[in-house]
Amino acid sequence: RFAKLTAEHVAFFRELLGQDSALIDGVDVNANVEADLEPFNEDWMHKYKGQCRLVLKPGSTEHVSKILRYCNEHKLAVVPQGGNTGLVGGSIPVFDEIVISMGRMNTIHVFDDMSGSLVLDAGCILEVADQYVAERGYIFPLDLGAKGSCHVGGNVSTNAGGLRLLRYGSLHGSVLGMEVVLPDGTIMDDMCTLRKNNTGYDLKQLFIGAEGTLGIVTKLVVQCAQRSPAVNVALLGLESYEKAQSAFREAKSQLSEILSAFELMDGTSQRLVHKVRGGTKPLEDDYPFYCLVETSGSNSEHDYEKLEKFLEHVMSNEVIADGVVAQDATQIRTFWSWREGITECIGHWGGTYKYDVSIPLSDMYSIVHDVKNRLSDAGLLGDTENHPVVDVVGYGHMGDSNLHLNICVRRYDKNVEKMLEPYVYEWIEKRQGSISAEHGLGLAKKNYIGYSRSETMIGLMKQIKTLYDPVGIMNPYKNVHRTNNRYVHQ
Ligand code: FAD
Ligand code: MLT
Ligand code: ZN
């Protein structure tokens, strides 16, 4: 369907971008750029590999507009890429699509310290944006383990959820405005900095979670919240998942407005983190479950007291088996590292099959037991090299009913895959869950959308894709792919 890249195409882009460092040209067979192309052709998990021969690094919205208009006219497929930390293969070309890397567009434009609205380029790194508003007494309404390298444009394009969605809500609420370049080069300027704007359809919402399939997000207006001066963190050890549910219920009722995160980690995840990183565990004994509870408020003493009272209550009622409150900022960071470090550590043995699912809380963890039993019964899980599966892990954003089910493997293996799919998707469907709570569909999950969305909805999504991207150049083969009909159950 797409044209093959030629030296003539590259010459156009070179002239447009005006500097050699703004492009990596592997179309020229004499250019020795394999190593330079590699990071753009491989994802964070080293699971997906593309064959892109050209990376473009636009420096302005006008560049993006001219690039897309040219690509649309010449039928050249493109993949927008932010920090390349996505976990579903969405940011990696499948074949030789052009990668449009947004890292040069990283200016923070304006911050209104009365309203908290922040205007910034899509290529800003999340942690940099948060640091900028922190210096002004505010907090970026999203936080996640990849904050040091992911871009805010990538966050919006995946509708990332992260660690504090419970408190600050989803990006659908906190993105006030957006500038997007459509596939034909049209610039859609919807840079509203106000919270209320009920004039017609809210078109920017379509780009939140579109995974680069409808256009390229170039600028954003984000509503930031007042940063809480008092942050406290407690780590709980629990004997069962049922007890974790009771602890969550109690935390909501006793900590109410100061509760800012409630994260679940099973004992297996913590054992694996310990095996990989070592270090002193925050709680002496091992437990089947751990919960990390964070409060953010305005009065440190009062909040600390509230958290301690909560701890006493759940301890004396035998909801939790043990618990500890972090004593200072360093300990807060350490407690969080036991949660945020899971993603990296569980890949240590070779790889991970990742499922990011929403399930009603009452049932949420039982999928981990079911999958573990299934793999054990099939003789695939065990301690020796002959077993492809090391262990099955569950953790996630309990406050949002979002579980990360991960199957840690020594190697990717067809027999394991056959055991997992469509079994996991059917399991989720039976409980009216979602097969992708926050990471998106990308390449990994696109064929399974039918387990969470009706035929009618998928049909409408395909119409939207065709309307915005009639030639189909935007991140083809991902998400809701125009010509992909394999939405029915396998
Ligand atoms: P990329 O990976 O570069 O791209 C992701 C998708 O967005 C691709 O489809 C790409 O084409 C598209 N895209 C990127 N930029 C643009 C743009 N400007 N315009 C249009 N499309 C664009 N996710 C969560 O939801 N919650 C978490 O808690 C979380 N934790 C994580 C922890 C770790 C350690 C890692 C590695 C990942 C985590 N993620 C999490 C995954 C998450 O989706 C990404 O980290 C992040 O949101 C993606 O941003 P990015 O800039 O890296 O985007
Ligand atoms: C997380 O919550 O840690 C992220 O979504 C990444 C992951 O699923 O491992
Ligand atoms: Zn997550």
Side-chain angles (χ1 to χ4, degrees):
R1 267 197 315 126
F2 300 110
K4 202 168 162 47
L5 263 172
T6 64
E8 200 188 331
H9 297 139
V10 178
F12 170 85
F13 295 125
R14 193 182 292 279
E15 194 182 333
L16 171 69
L17 296 175
Q19 48 178 291
D20 278 348
S21 61
L23 126 175
I24 305 173
D25 173 15
V27 176
D28 175 359
V29 287
N30 297 317
N32 187 13
V33 290
E34 293 316 311
D36 298 334
L37 286 170
E38 208 178 290
F40 299 91
N41 268 322
E42 194 177 22
D43 70 314
W44 188 87
M45 299 176 291
H46 310 292
K47 199 169 188 176
Y48 301 95
K49 288 201 168 49
Q51 297 152 48
C52 149
R53 305 303 303 161
L54 181 67
V55 176
L56 303 176
K57 302 177 184 176
S60 67
T61 302
E62 288 63 37
H63 280 167
V64 177
S65 167
K66 285 179 179 158
I67 289 169
L68 287 190
R69 189 186 311 144
Y70 184 89
C71 289
N72 203 49
E73 281 169 9
H74 291 80
K75 286 203 164 74
L76 295 167
V78 303
V79 176
Q81 196 175 91
N84 198 11
T85 66
L87 298 170
V88 288
S91 51
I92 297 300
V94 175
F95 301 106
D96 59 351
E97 299 92 288
I98 299 170
V99 167
I100 301 184
S101 174
M102 298 300 289
R104 276 180 70 213
M105 293 179 65
N106 61 3
T107 304
I108 296 179
H109 294 277
V110 190
F111 179 66
D112 179 342
D113 75 355
M114 181 70 83
S115 69
S117 72
L118 173 71
V119 181
L120 75 178
D121 281 352
C124 287
I125 288 178
L126 174 59
E127 196 167 39
V128 173
D130 184 54
Q131 197 54 47
Y132 180 91
V133 293
E135 284 158 17
R136 288 151 182 84
Y138 280 81
I139 187 167
F140 199 90
L142 171 76
D143 186 19
L144 44 84
K147 55 181 157 279
S149 39
C150 62
H151 293 183
V152 294
N155 298 147
V156 166
S157 300
T158 53
N159 188 23
L163 305 163
R164 293 193 184 85
L165 188 137
L166 176 71
R167 175 65 165 266
Y168 300 110
S170 106
L171 290 170
H172 281 293
S174 42
V175 173
L176 303 179
M178 189 186 285
E179 178 189 79
V180 191
V181 180
L182 303 180
D184 67 358
T186 303
I187 299 170
M188 185 186 98
D189 179 347
D190 182 20
M191 290 292 283
C192 179
T193 57
L194 301 167
R195 292 192 87 163
K196 291 187 163 180
N197 182 9
N198 283 351
T199 46
Y201 301 134
D202 190 359
L203 296 178
K204 69 176 181 298
Q205 297 296 343
L206 275 178
F207 298 89
I208 302 177
E211 300 184 80
T213 58
L214 299 178
I216 296 192
V217 178
T218 44
K219 277 199 190 78
L220 290 162
V221 186
V222 179
Q223 177 69 54
C224 299
Q226 195 69 44
R227 203 172 194 98
S228 304
V231 176
N232 287 297
V233 170
L235 193 75
L236 322 177
L238 305 105
E239 295 293 358
S240 69
Y241 176 66
E242 285 63 39
K243 298 222 163 169
Q245 288 182 76
S246 305
F248 179 47
R249 221 174 289 123
E250 280 304 323
K252 279 205 291 188
S253 95
Q254 294 194 30
L255 302 170
S256 55
E257 79 287 353
I258 60 166
L259 182 64
S260 52
F262 195 102
E263 296 283 307
L264 177 81
M265 299 155 277
D266 67 7
T268 315
S269 73
Q270 297 305 280
R271 262 195 311 283
L272 295 184
V273 171
H274 191 239
K275 243 187 200 170
V276 175
R277 287 196 328 202
T280 312
K281 290 183 279 182
L283 297 176
E284 220 177 314
D285 294 329
D286 284 342
Y287 295 98
F289 293 93
Y290 298 86
C291 291
L292 186 151
V293 186
E294 186 193 74
T295 63
S296 305
S298 56
N299 184 327
S300 190
E301 247 170 64
H302 165 265
D303 294 356
Y304 188 86
E305 228 171 74
K306 247 182 146 173
L307 188 57
E308 277 216 312
K309 249 194 187 146
F310 157 75
L311 220 60
E312 267 167 38
H313 177 85
V314 285
M315 190 90 98
S316 57
N317 284 287
E318 294 180 6
V319 173
I320 66 169
D322 197 4
V324 58
V325 181
Q327 294 304 305
D328 53 31
T330 311
Q331 215 172 20
I332 288 181
R333 274 197 300 278
T334 306
F335 284 13
W336 267 115
S337 78
W338 285 88
R339 164 63 185 90
E340 291 185 85
I342 300 173
T343 314
E344 189 155 1
C345 291
I346 56 177
H348 170 82
W349 285 266
T352 321
Y353 290 104
K354 292 187 88 65
Y355 298 95
D356 154 44
V357 299
S358 280
I359 308 171
L361 268 188
S362 54
D363 248 358
M364 196 175 85
Y365 193 77
S366 46
I367 192 167
V368 179
H369 293 304
D370 290 355
V371 167
K372 197 166 180 166
N373 289 339
R374 191 172 161 82
L375 293 168
S376 287
D377 292 349
L380 295 165
L381 189 156
D383 288 336
T384 73
E385 275 302 315
N386 293 335
H387 297 97
V389 180
V390 178
D391 222 327
V392 179
V393 184
Y395 57 94
H397 317 291
M398 185 156 184
D400 315 323
S401 300
N402 177 189
L403 180 84
H404 296 309
L405 163 73
N406 283 251
I407 293 84
C408 315
V409 290
R410 296 187 171 85
R411 54 192 169 274
Y412 293 111
D413 184 297
K414 283 274 167 253
N415 293 321
V416 176
E417 278 156 39
K418 273 191 219 144
M419 281 287 142
L420 293 174
E421 295 180 16
Y423 174 81
V424 169
Y425 300 125
E426 286 170 357
W427 199 105
I428 303 293
E429 186 185 40
K430 271 188 213 140
R431 285 142 185 102
Q432 282 89 47
S434 169
I435 65 147
S436 178
E438 59 173 9
H439 296 161
L441 292 170
L443 191 60
K445 310 281 154 73
K446 63 165 188 173
N447 287 334
Y448 306 104
I449 183 173
Y451 286 97
S452 294
R453 299 287 199 193
S454 68
E455 285 298 315
T456 307
M457 293 184 83
I458 296 164
L460 286 166
M461 290 186 204
K462 284 166 112 177
Q463 283 183 39
I464 289 169
K465 169 71 177 167
T466 309
L467 176 70
Y468 278 81
D469 184 19
V471 183
I473 60 162
M474 292 303 307
N475 214 356
Y477 328 110
K478 319 275 176 58
N479 195 290
V480 177
H481 180 31
R482 231 162 37 104
T483 55
N484 189 334
N485 291 315
R486 292 173 54 210
Y487 294 123
V488 282
H489 301 175
Q490 314 276 299

